[in-house]
Amino acid sequence: MSEVKDYKYIGQRTIRPDGFDKVTGRANFGADLTLPGMLWARVKRSPYAHARIIDIDTSKAEALAGVMAVATAADFPAIASETLQMGETSADIRDLARNNLALEKVLYHGHAVAAVAAVSQTIADQAVELIEVEYAELTPVMDVLEAIKDDAPILHDDLFTAGLAETPETPSNIAMRMELKKGDIDAGFAEADVIVEREYQTPTVHQGYIEPHACTVRYDEDGQSMIWCCTQGHFDVRASTAKILNMELSKIKVIASEIGGGFGGKTTIYLEPVALVLSKKSGRPVKLVMNREEVFRASGPGSATRSWIKVGARKDGTITAMQGILHYEAGAFKGSPMAPGVMCVFTPYDVANVHIEGFDVVVNKPKVAAYRAPGAPQAEFAAESAINELADKLDMDPIELRLKNAAKEGTQAIYGPKFKAIGLVECLEAAKNSAHYKSPLGKNQGRSIAAGFWFNAGMSSSVVINMNPDGTVVVVEGSPDIGGSRASMAMMAAEELGIAVEKIKPIIADTDGVGLNSTTGGSRTTFATGMAIIEAAQDVVKQMKERAAAVWNVTLDQVDWVDGVAVNTADEARLSAAEICAAAGSTGGPISARASLTARGAGPSFAVHVADVEVDPDTGKVDVIRYTAIQDAGKAIHPGYVEGQYQGGAAQGIGWALNEEYIYDENGVLENAGYLDYRIPLASDLPMIETVIVEVPNPFHPYGVRGVGESSIIPPLAAVSSAVSNAIGVRMSELPCSPPRVLKAIQSRDN
Amino acid sequence: MAKTHVSTTINNEPVEFLCEPNQTLLDCLRNELQMTGTKEGCSTGDCGACSVTVNGRLVCSCLVFGVEAEGQNIGTIEGIGKAENLHVIQQKFLEHAALQCGICTPGLIVATEALLAENPDPTEAEARYYLAGNLCRCTGYDKIIRAVMDSAAEMRGTA
Ligand code: FES
Ligand code: FES
């Protein structure tokens, strides 16, 4: 399907269509909408990590002048447990409701228990203080090892482990067990000359988007509702809010504002149903915005994990067996990204004998949300660290070891499909041949590499292309743009239409303005929504040729479409898009086309990163001094934004490897709920991040596109921590490699 | 709470507003004056999304009270170039793809303008440290720093 083509727009570094609004401050984000008569809402949150709610008394708050409504879980209808697909992950709608407003129990410090709407922010703050909640404290369960003990306090009396041979009779904090295997794991290890085996640990981290969750909503007397919010998926906001409030889908219109980062964290909801209840009760529009502390305490985060990995190989480097046990924290409600972790963990390698077990475990922390390639960074950190250790033991170059075992076209992935063309080998070769990999290292410095695999998703997209009478184009899509995707949408439309990219305006319509679109997630947008745009644009071209044929009174096959102009092959007569569109009213009506599809054949994107670090032996502080991110894009539509995805993922992964972690006290209270103490990488923490765009076309996409948004966060965890290991001569198997932990490793080595 | 009357200058235009004494300048800009180009990422001085200048000095507007704007000259993103006539820094941010979601961008542009006013020829390290108070979670800073260095060169006339 995809051959090498000469593209006019694809592959250029065009200026993004929403760029002017973003650099002038005109762009409207989640917290930027104010409506006439609007009230300010605030949420009352739990001071305990685990407690039973005995009573909520809102009378004093309600009596305060200026308070217009108060809401608690009693205002939500009773709903049954039901699974709803949200982005790449799914959620139980009943759990989601209880996460938005606690019912009977609070399950983490910061869990929402009530909310108020008042005429000013000050009064809303005062009213929250006046809500009195009586609790019976319970012992918090703060990590998987505690949670899975037989005598651990149970978070949910009605949670029974799924995925066991026999249905259990007693409730458990283990929500699910999952297993994947192939070959004979014992025979595989028996064949091995060298075996490495180790436990690994990763902390709770936050997606860290700079824009807090925010919405402005209005419930009208006729039962119609409007929600303006920052989300990766406004159709999922509509679906989940409707379920929680037991409303009809068509009664809710969701408008996706500009979104200030999501990384998976804005594929779920926290505020919208609460704000809508307050709006209904007060009869006024309501704005509800989290502050940064609430974002840390009650949104996100990404799962903490504990894993055990064992890998065996022959002396020549052939890996004979890979085994893993992976425990993921789900937070307060079931549903960690354990399953994708299990499916990803060893997938870069073609190995005969594999056995993986995974456990989804609830603990008294906020319910985890998707975080960029959800589940994969944690699992692949462990696996890639093990591969690096194996390379050391075999005395082999870690790239050579990976090349010897790399998955390639035809490899049967353990989660099901046989790979079509994939680019892992090409990425490894690019790493091996890079100037970076060959450069010398200095004192206290270390280097390592790691690979990363993510499936990528297709899912559903609907678009409409409308031709204006002057030949300019509106592309109506429904995929919230989290990283510049409108640029690539405009470029793909331009390419098909032969119309200059500046003449194309992509807009993200609200849920009433375009057909259903799955959430922006799974690196799906440029792939799947792009595919719909290509299809619709081809339809537009066909219609324009038909109109020209009618004007010239010739058959369609006598009309060519060249650079946005219809050409009569018989006499070289020409009609531009503008001319055709201006006359459209008299040749059959305005020209527009639509396409709706569920995209199959998302191409996996492999990444390989090379990291150099320098360790201060006196303090344990680690600096990344050189970094290269290599990844298969299939085909890069806008190379600037593709590089941006590689660099941004690398930076987040570096933060995960070196600094970021939730720190709890003994009562389960988060101690670092702010950017000062939860330190994401600053400009002064990072070097330039070199990039290499590998292009092994995805055979299922007209241009060969693979999603690029997620794989880049996977390799840094192992690449950076293994580089630290190499610099100090101690294996780092717990993240983050923060100064105290690195210093301790250095001291244990020296003793 | 009784409101206080504030007379100030914003982007060289005289402006008056009423605010409660505990409201931050950020809150006043965004919610009293509907100037939402200045963003809130943390309200604790840690993210720089709310960067503005007060009499030319770069500050976090979430750490300044609205009443402190009395008689001062405030500079915000709304005062730096317009779509038809972008400032060099804005143009370079676009050319270098130095924004993804764009929530950090107004703050970074205000901070970059302040940096280049103080130091027209910064080294990469100087630029990185000056902008260390402006968090960006999307880009890894690479393209931002390139846009800043390129802006500096162009503004010096050496590009
Ligand atoms: S909002 Fe002021 S520094 Fe973050
Ligand atoms: S572009 Fe999203 S935070 Fe900087």
Side-chain angles (χ1 to χ4, degrees), chain A residues 16 32 122 207 292 643, chain B residues 20 30 39 99-100 143:
Chain A
R16 59 195 281 166
D32 293 348
T122 308
Q207 293 80 349
R292 177 57 47 186
E643 291 161 1
Chain B
E20 294 175 14
R30 290 181 52 79
K39 303 300 178 191
L99 51 142
Q100 285 176 28
K143 294 184 188 301

Side-chain angles (χ1 to χ4, degrees), chain A residues 390-411:
Chain A
L390 183 67
D392 276 358
K393 277 211 175 172
L394 289 164
D395 202 17
M396 257 182 106
D397 177 272
I399 295 183
E400 293 301 339
L401 175 60
R402 286 176 171 85
L403 278 169
K404 196 168 178 63
N405 297 284
K408 38 182 101 58
E409 183 163 0
T411 298

Side-chain angles (χ1 to χ4, degrees), chain A residues 700-719:
Chain A
F700 293 104
H701 186 276
Y703 303 154
V705 166
R706 299 172 192 277
V708 293
E710 292 168 291
S711 303
S712 56
I713 198 175
I714 303 167
L717 281 64

Side-chain angles (χ1 to χ4, degrees), chain B residues 136-154:
Chain B
C136 174
R137 189 59 156 173
C138 296
T139 65
Y141 304 103
D142 182 299
K143 294 184 188 301
I144 292 173
I145 298 300
R146 287 178 203 277
V148 170
M149 300 307 281
D150 197 9
S151 301
E154 178 133 338

Side-chain angles (χ1 to χ4, degrees), chain A residues 209-210 259-261 263 482, chain B residues 98-105 108 135-139 144:
Chain A
Y209 32 82
I210 305 296
I259 170 172
F263 316 110
I482 55 177
Chain B
L99 51 142
Q100 285 176 28
C101 77
I103 193 84
C104 66
T105 309
L108 268 156
L135 300 180
C136 174
R137 189 59 156 173
C138 296
T139 65
I144 292 173

